[in-house]
Amino acid sequence: MRREKIAVVGSSHLATVITGCLIDKKYEVIVVDEKSDNFNKLQNGNLPIFEPDLQELITKGINQNKLSFSTDFGNAFGNIDVIYFAKDAIKTEDGVDLDDIYNSVKQVASSKQESFVMIISTQLPVGTIDKIKSMLNSKRIDNPIHFAIVPEFLR
């Protein structure tokens, strides 16, 4: 029986918690991000954050070969149908710098020719998701990207 494999793009606090939850639910997970302190720590089994029981879940995932890591956006998404996008937006004095978000989303989309589901769970300014959707699907008439949005911090 093939285990469902899900990619998590990002290695921040949110991405690490999502990764642990997916491992706990028996998914195979690949964390994809640029090299960073958080990514390097996570890849070595050391969490950049503390959450109860999270260290055990990440260690279990690594030890059972259910958790892998890649910085290669071009080849990391081969047989993956669900990509969980959980990168942090960079806060600036003027608001938010979305260049890293847009670049990472473009890298994901250009590496997958088939249709896939992108779950976005990132704090973004209003209107950003619509821009991402139109930017990515404008050239994918036959194989659109399907989006699911998980908003954060709603009260």
Side-chain angles (χ1 to χ4, degrees), residues 50-126:
F50 174 79
E51 291 288 344
D53 302 319
L54 188 57
Q55 180 67 60
E56 291 80 14
L57 291 171
I58 297 300
T59 301
K60 177 179 158 184
I62 291 170
N63 291 342
Q64 294 179 356
N65 294 320
K66 290 172 47 180
L67 176 57
S68 58
F69 302 87
S70 179
T71 58
D72 185 357
F73 279 77
N75 293 310
F77 307 106
N79 63 344
I80 293 174
D81 297 323
V82 177
I83 299 171
Y84 212 119
F85 193 87
K87 285 188 70 91
D88 284 343
I90 299 169
K91 294 169 183 65
T92 66
E93 287 182 13
D94 300 326
V96 179
D97 178 357
L98 296 174
D99 289 344
D100 185 47
I101 299 292
Y102 290 142
N103 289 335
S104 293
V105 169
K106 285 179 190 174
Q107 286 183 70
V108 171
S110 67
S111 70
K112 288 278 296 172
Q113 301 308 312
E114 310 85 17
S115 288
F116 64 94
V117 174
M118 180 180 281
I119 302 168
I120 299 178
S121 182
T122 298
Q123 290 182 8
L124 297 170
V126 173

Side-chain angles (χ1 to χ4, degrees), residues 1-5 25-28:
M1 182 173 132
R2 179 172 96 83
R3 275 192 286 187
E4 183 83 30
K5 189 170 187 178
K25 295 298 178 190
K26 310 295 186 241
Y27 290 98
E28 187 175 337

